[in-house]
Amino acid sequence: MYDNGLGVATNPKKAFDWYRKAAEQGNDDAQFNMGVAYTLGIVVNKNYDKALDWYYKAAEQGQSDAQNNLGVMYDNGVGVKQDYQKAESWYCFAIHQDNEHAQYNLGKKYARGLGVPKNVAMAYALLSLSYNNGVDAEDDIVKLERNMSPKEFAQAKKLIAQIEETGIVSDIIHHKKKR
């Protein structure tokens, strides 16, 4: 309520206080919001250690936005030592729950070959899924399409179908790596 001004005036301090109370009682969404507050310095000073702690608490309960944010922190080395494998793992956990931002983030990694082998078919598949889930990824998709061979495009379409059918991204990603 206080965070978004639903029925009351927005009040970041009151929102933080309520999030903290709920987070301390184990509410995963509130724990995620505490992580965001410490990441961005909302009402409190930026503190990546505290942000990481709250994100972990939420992520371990399956909160996909927290899982994605952990992926971002490891991907960029924010508050932690940069670790592309941990980033990929956290993105995969979030993707299992159809987290569109994790789909986008991992897709961008595959497009650039950043910490993972460059794989435009996988990048296209993940970016397309994120776009279908509401992320503005159209420019990224168009850039990939311009440089894809017909074979890569066919592979991407096959990957999209596999992911949509099974919902299992990490197995497909790890299977591709073994080849």
Side-chain angles (χ1 to χ4, degrees):
M1 278 181 7
Y2 290 108
D3 193 14
N4 301 314
L6 298 174
V8 296
T10 57
N11 186 325
K13 173 70 173 117
K14 282 187 178 179
F16 179 85
D17 291 341
W18 282 109
Y19 283 139
R20 183 175 30 83
K21 288 176 184 177
E24 289 170 350
Q25 293 177 18
N27 181 284
D28 61 340
D29 289 328
Q31 290 168 340
F32 165 74
N33 283 311
M34 291 296 292
V36 170
Y38 281 109
T39 299
L40 301 177
I42 299 171
V43 179
V44 293
N45 292 326
K46 285 184 182 182
N47 185 322
Y48 295 127
D49 289 334
K50 287 184 179 181
L52 194 68
D53 184 49
W54 285 115
Y55 286 144
Y56 264 108
K57 288 177 181 178
E60 288 169 354
Q61 293 187 72
Q63 213 284 355
S64 70
D65 291 320
Q67 293 167 340
N68 176 65
N69 283 13
L70 284 170
V72 170
M73 291 180 84
Y74 280 107
D75 220 359
N76 298 307
V78 175
V80 293
K81 183 180 178 201
Q82 192 170 41
D83 186 328
Y84 293 133
Q85 286 183 324
K86 284 185 180 179
E88 180 189 9
S89 293
W90 283 113
Y91 290 145
C92 285
F93 286 132
I95 289 170
H96 280 295
Q97 299 175 75
D98 290 325
N99 186 289
E100 65 277 11
H101 301 292
Q103 292 166 340
Y104 179 83
N105 290 332
L106 191 55
K108 291 291 285 185
K109 287 178 71 62
Y110 275 99
R112 296 186 309 252
L114 184 61
V116 295
K118 186 173 182 176
N119 183 330
V120 293
M122 181 62 73
Y124 184 89
L126 290 168
L127 292 171
S128 295
L129 291 170
S130 75
Y131 177 77
N132 292 342
N133 286 319
V135 173
D136 184 15
E138 187 173 9
D139 289 343
D140 298 298
I141 294 167
V142 169
K143 285 178 192 174
L144 283 175
E145 283 177 344
R146 287 185 192 140
N147 298 308
M148 290 175 76
S149 70
K151 181 180 177 182
E152 289 170 326
F153 191 73
Q155 288 172 332
K157 291 298 187 180
K158 184 177 176 184
L159 286 170
I160 291 169
Q162 285 178 311
I163 292 168
E164 288 177 338
E165 181 182 323
T166 65
I168 301 174
V169 175
S170 63
D171 289 351
I172 293 167
I173 290 168
H174 293 123
H175 178 71
K176 292 288 176 191
K177 283 183 179 180
K178 292 176 185 174
R179 289 186 177 176

